[in-house]
Amino acid sequence: MVSRVSIASIVQPHLAQLTPYQAGKPLEELTRELGLTDAIKLASNENPLGPSPKALEAIGAHLASLHRYPDSHAYYLKEDLSRYLGIKSSQLILGNGSDEVLDLLVRALVPSGGEVISTTHTFLMYGLLTQAVGGVFRTVPLKNMAVDLTAVAQAVTDNTRLILLNSPNNPTGTVFTRTAWEDFLTNLPPAVTVVLDEAYIEFADDPDVPDCLDYLSEERALVGLRTFSKAYGLAGPRVGYGFGPSELMDYLNRLRLPFNVNRLAQVGARAALTDTEFLTRARELVRTGRAFLAEGLTRLGLDFVPSQANFMLIYLRREGKQVYEAMLQEGVIIRAMDAYGYPEHIRVNVGLPEENQRFLAALEKVLGL
């Protein structure tokens, strides 16, 4: 007879407190559930132009080689990235999305009971990954919907191992200035590693937004994170990267699973790096779309956070989840923000011009404005 075991008794106890990350449902699933035929999805900050055409062509050319394992070290992609970014390939780490690089950093740097500092109202994975290793996750309130770097620095203790910051911040779309960033770095203990998540940096057009690459040094515990998911339209293949001191990247590579970036992701990302025309189009589409949405929301009398990303956070003064459900019936998929601590907000990403128009018309109808 097989002895019964309580699974809860054999897993790490801190895992009982974890709540899985709730991603937005795929467009196909929602349209099937609701019986919709012409729904638009503006919920996941995806590129409305689709993937880079050069990436599509490169991926298609490699479909016949799917029986071969990818290059486990992604040598050619790292070489291309090092030239594109102007850094050494040894300063790079690649991941199955930038989330994986973040996971490697937390696992490498945060012991059980070690402290990770971030902010309220930011990317949910920061807290989840910290909890997964038994770390202590502490948050500092945003100030005027933006990261308060002075308050973050003041929150550091002797137990702090890692600081996770998001700029532009998801879900607010706000940024901090170069001067504030430089002051922040100067006032930190050298043993505290700072991670700057720049998933949306390609869409920022404020010249005062700091670029983590400008502060990269072999002597500074600073890591930048970026992704091909947003500006290059490669959310499906899942390829992201981090850059930091070569020695730290070497330790992360020891933790990294082999073949973590698949063959199609590697060739697609390499081709996307050369697709400057597509990147320019994507940036311009987002910038004009943000202005269009801002004008429309102002006309409707709604408050929103001025954004440097490809999405906008909108204050409704009513339950966002109800508006989300009502917008679904109009065939417009957005994101309710209760999980982010904003129960009366929604987030919408910039779409194609006709999608932005449809969103505003549906929102006006749902809100009875």
Side-chain angles (χ1 to χ4, degrees), residues 23-25 41-46 200 230 333 335 347 349:
K25 284 187 178 181
K41 184 183 179 188
L42 302 173
S44 299
N45 304 339
E46 295 157 336
Y200 301 95
K230 312 300 181 182
I333 305 167
R335 191 77 179 263
R347 189 191 67 197
N349 65 257

Side-chain angles (χ1 to χ4, degrees), residues 59-354:
I59 288 171
H62 282 77
L63 290 175
S65 61
L66 289 183
H67 61 302
R68 303 293 186 193
Y69 284 103
D71 173 7
S72 184
H73 300 286
Y75 173 82
Y76 292 108
L77 176 54
K78 287 177 74 172
E79 287 296 302
D80 288 351
L81 269 173
S82 68
R83 286 191 292 270
Y84 182 79
L85 300 172
I87 63 178
K88 296 180 292 186
S89 61
S90 62
Q91 294 175 305
L92 283 163
I93 178 79
L94 299 178
N96 186 246
S98 57
D99 291 359
E100 186 191 16
V101 181
L102 182 61
D103 179 47
L104 294 173
L105 284 159
V106 173
R107 288 166 55 201
L109 298 171
V110 183
S112 179
E115 186 176 83
V116 174
I117 294 177
S118 189
T119 67
T120 58
H121 313 296
T122 193
F123 187 40
L124 299 178
M125 286 303 297
Y126 301 157
L128 293 177
L129 292 173
T130 302
Q131 288 179 273
V133 299
V136 177
F137 189 65
R138 294 180 53 228
T139 57
V140 176
L142 298 181
K143 183 177 181 180
N144 299 323
M145 292 290 192
V147 175
D148 183 349
L149 290 175
T150 300
V152 171
Q154 291 172 346
V156 172
T157 71
D158 291 341
N159 199 36
T160 303
R161 298 291 178 268
L162 194 59
I163 297 175
L164 303 178
L165 301 173
N166 195 205
S167 180
N169 183 55
N170 178 18
T172 61
T174 52
V175 293
F176 39 77
T177 67
R178 186 175 290 106
T179 298
W181 172 245
E182 291 172 356
D183 290 344
F184 168 74
L185 292 177
T186 301
N187 292 318
L188 286 180
V192 175
T193 301
V194 178
V195 177
L196 184 58
D197 186 346
E198 298 181 308
Y200 301 95
I201 192 67
E202 287 91 353
F203 302 116
D205 54 9
D206 183 342
D208 205 23
V209 176
D211 182 330
C212 194
L213 282 167
D214 294 337
Y215 303 89
L216 180 62
S217 168
E218 296 287 12
E219 286 73 46
R220 173 182 278 157
L222 172 66
V223 177
L225 296 180
R226 294 190 182 180
T227 180
F228 285 86
S229 295
K230 312 300 181 182
Y232 293 101
L234 295 180
R238 307 299 298 128
V239 55
Y241 60 95
F243 47 87
S246 299
E247 186 177 6
L248 178 55
M249 299 301 101
D250 177 59
Y251 278 108
L252 298 186
N253 266 309
R254 301 180 197 194
L255 273 177
R256 179 183 59 83
L257 291 175
F259 313 115
N260 64 323
V261 180
N262 70 70
R263 175 180 290 271
L264 300 185
Q266 290 185 36
V267 298
R270 291 188 66 200
L273 277 178
T274 70
D275 203 344
T276 54
E277 179 184 352
F278 177 81
L279 182 60
T280 299
R281 285 177 57 212
R283 285 171 164 164
E284 184 58 29
L285 183 77
V286 166
R287 290 169 186 172
T288 56
R290 282 192 313 226
F292 178 82
L293 289 174
E295 181 182 355
L297 293 168
T298 300
R299 175 179 57 82
L300 296 177
L302 295 173
D303 293 327
F304 59 92
V305 182
S307 175
Q308 285 289 300
N310 67 338
F311 55 81
M312 300 184 77
L313 183 69
I314 304 165
Y315 181 40
L316 302 172
R317 296 185 178 85
R318 66 183 75 183
E319 188 177 335
K321 190 66 178 294
Q322 291 181 349
V323 174
Y324 159 78
E325 297 286 353
M327 292 288 282
L328 280 182
Q329 301 306 315
E330 301 297 319
V332 179
I333 305 167
I334 55 173
R335 191 77 179 263
M337 287 284 101
D338 42 329
Y340 284 82
Y342 289 126
E344 295 187 331
H345 291 70
I346 57 172
R347 189 191 67 197
V348 60
N349 65 257
V350 176
L352 298 171
E354 58 271 24

